[in-house]
Amino acid sequence: MTFRPILFLAALATCSLAAQAAAAEPRAAIRGDMDAELRRLLERAVGEVDGAPESRFEARRRAQGAMSAAEALLRSEAYYQPVLEDVVEGEDRPSAIVAVQPGRRFLLTQPTISWIETAPDADSAADALEAVGLKPGDPGRAVDVIAGEGRAVATLSRNGYADARAEARRVVVDHAAFTVAPEYRINSGRLVLLDGVVLQRAGRTNPAWVAGLAPWTEGDRYDPEQVAELERRLLDTGVYDGVGVALSPIGQTNADGHRPVIVNLTDRPRRVIEAGATWSTAEGAGVDFIWTRYNRFGRGDTLRLETRWADIDSRIGADLSLPHWRKPGRTLKLSAGVVQEDTDAYDRTALVLAAELQQRIGRTSYFNYGLGLDAGQYNENRYDFTSTPPSAVTFDRDLAIVTGRTSAYIDNSNDPLNPTKGWRMTVSVQPTAVAGEDTVLFLRSESQATAYLPLQDQARTVLAGRLRIGAIIGGDELSVPSDRLFYSGGGGSVRGYSYQGVNPELPDETPRGGLSLFETSLEVRHDIGQSFQAVAFVDAGAVGFQETPNLTNMRYGAGVGVRYKLPFGPIRADIAVPLDKREGDSAFQIYISIGQAF
């Protein structure tokens, strides 16, 4: 009984589609000898109408209208001598027909450019002619002729002629020689040399700081990509609601013949207060409060104060971000806070400090380098597996940990929160020194790659995959602090298991931290309407106790989920089950958060 309404709706939709298909028919049939592609273009140009003609008069009217559309299409495709006839056949059920003899297709001759008023330098003129991209002997299609003109003007602009514009082109169609000869008439304008930056609407921003972001020096040729780069650098700060960057009008050329670039900035609200919440059966609940101050120092900076109360990870701290620190694209990040972690594997209360530089690579990728200091108390229940039998070891120690923070992020996907194609990769290498009640040196490395493959047009179905690998070199299971060991399980790793639940358990049921990690995930995401998305997934993971990942103790989880898509990203709800449930594992886990799982 449950599925009968669904079957009824499916049958109704099928009948509706069939009725629509039956109601729509071509305005007129295309008859004649031509290649399949030209026939397809003509049928598209003729179009469709609802229902058959009711009289021969109506059929004639349709045939004449279709013939006009067909003639326009043929001319645009370089058939300048077609023979067309509107035909009506049938008495009781008349039909409209267009008989087409395309004739010979006209071909291009060598395109030329005539410079109006002002001509560019010889190299730029040659580049513009080459950019036209039309070759003698190619079909003389109108769209190609028009596109060639646009490419020529765009090339001039990239070469410093910002005011280049096209005048009325002259195209000669020779009906005796069956040729199309395009002549472009272009006014290049004067070569534009750049001056500095004029900040017309600055708000709280220091004009000298903006001027220092310009990727050109005074006297350089105008390059639209450099102007766009200045806009990107300002947008990268994240402190503006609007950024406008454009070359000044020609009337603002200074005495040296240079033109400034005009910048207009619209500030975000000075202060923003945010609150958020997360919940899952595996990791419990969490509440966040964030107070953000934008552009406090007039250089696109962001100061953020955060307080988080959660079952596992609570903290209070401050972050300061200073974009374009002494170099465009480089951001100085300073952070300080107090962290309290209460996990099944360990408890930690620590002061955390960090300073790092982030250098942007391209538009969305970057690499980081810096230092971090953690100083605090660690309470850990461990086992010494080198003894026979393994013996319990309890650590209650004060440690200071200095970490070299080096990482790189490469983003080749099409969306930061809901990617549908492309790939991403993150690599992190952290040399670490531990001092205090224990002294140890080790290297912790971790990498993750994700990929997204659209399986249907408009990416309505997407196949997404993830691979994560980690290893610790130079330390052993007892000397490495518990928070630096590897754990797996939870909403961001292997769903279906509790937080740290993939790890083997010690005799006292504490998760055993590992020296290596392997995780992988596969998701199928399918859009339902405009706002919803259904997801099915399989996750797997293993924690090893050697420096290289060990796949002999793999754990698998699977489940389904739903996404509700909002302008800032999807809201995610997943339910997952462990496929190889052990004693003590929950039957299922539920996860609710913002953004895709990966």
Side-chain angles (χ1 to χ4, degrees), residues 130-403:
E130 183 180 0
V132 169
L134 303 181
K135 299 178 180 178
D138 287 346
R141 300 173 67 242
V143 65
D144 293 338
V145 172
I146 296 171
E149 181 180 78
R151 289 191 294 268
V153 173
T155 299
L156 287 169
S157 180
R158 287 193 295 271
N159 283 351
Y161 294 88
D163 304 308
R165 65 183 186 276
E167 305 288 353
R169 75 187 75 87
R170 182 169 180 264
V171 180
V172 177
V173 178
D174 189 333
H175 285 260
F178 299 98
T179 59
V180 176
E183 177 190 356
Y184 300 109
R185 298 160 58 81
I186 298 176
N187 186 342
S188 69
R190 292 179 56 187
L191 177 65
V192 176
L193 302 180
L194 290 174
D195 195 19
V197 173
V198 174
L199 195 54
Q200 285 189 340
R201 189 169 59 194
R204 300 185 295 270
T205 302
N206 185 341
W209 176 75
V210 175
L213 298 182
W216 65 83
T217 58
E218 185 178 349
D220 284 354
R221 278 191 176 206
Y222 166 79
D223 183 345
E225 180 56 33
Q226 287 187 332
V227 175
E229 174 62 18
L230 175 58
E231 184 176 61
R232 279 194 294 269
R233 290 175 181 180
L234 290 166
L235 288 170
D236 278 349
T237 65
V239 307
Y240 303 110
D241 272 342
V243 175
V245 181
L247 183 67
S248 66
I250 192 170
Q252 295 186 19
T253 304
N254 63 22
D256 295 327
H258 300 169
R259 284 164 65 179
V261 170
I262 306 298
V263 175
N264 288 284
L265 301 175
T266 303
D267 288 318
R268 294 182 63 170
R270 187 185 297 264
R271 299 176 182 88
V272 176
I273 298 176
E274 303 169 89
T278 59
W279 176 83
S280 77
T281 55
E283 301 171 29
V287 178
D288 295 88
F289 293 95
I290 302 172
W291 179 91
T292 305
R293 172 72 183 270
Y294 293 112
N295 218 6
R296 171 65 180 80
F297 305 109
R299 54 169 335 281
D301 51 276
T302 299
L303 174 64
R304 189 177 74 163
L305 306 179
E306 178 183 11
T307 300
R308 175 177 171 82
W309 291 281
D311 293 341
I312 291 177
D313 180 0
S314 298
R315 62 184 61 213
I316 182 170
D319 300 295
L320 176 63
S321 174
L322 300 173
H324 309 298
W325 176 258
R326 296 187 175 182
K327 180 181 179 181
R330 184 171 65 185
T331 300
L332 174 63
K333 296 185 175 183
L334 304 174
S335 62
V338 176
V339 176
Q340 181 175 354
E341 292 181 277
D342 183 5
T343 75
D344 292 338
Y346 63 88
D347 296 334
R348 177 174 79 120
T349 302
L351 170 69
V352 294
L353 304 171
E356 63 181 22
L357 291 171
Q358 182 181 93
Q359 180 65 55
R360 178 164 63 87
I361 312 170
R363 297 189 178 184
T364 57
S365 303
Y366 55 83
F367 65 88
N368 293 2
Y369 53 97
L371 287 175
L373 171 64
D374 295 18
Q377 185 177 50
Y378 291 74
N379 299 311
E380 308 160 90
N381 295 323
R382 314 278 278 276
Y383 271 75
D384 182 2
F385 286 90
T386 62
S387 62
T388 305
S391 58
V393 179
T394 300
F395 292 127
D396 188 356
R397 51 185 177 172
D398 297 323
L399 299 176
I401 305 174
V402 178
T403 305

Side-chain angles (χ1 to χ4, degrees), residues 502-514:
V502 167
N503 292 59
E505 291 185 343
L506 299 173
D508 63 355
E509 299 183 352
T510 298
R512 181 184 176 188

Side-chain angles (χ1 to χ4, degrees), residues 50 76 127 149 196 320 337 347 433 452 474 503 517 566:
D50 294 332
S76 71
D127 289 344
E149 181 180 78
L320 176 63
D347 296 334
Y452 312 93
N503 292 59
L517 173 71
L566 295 171

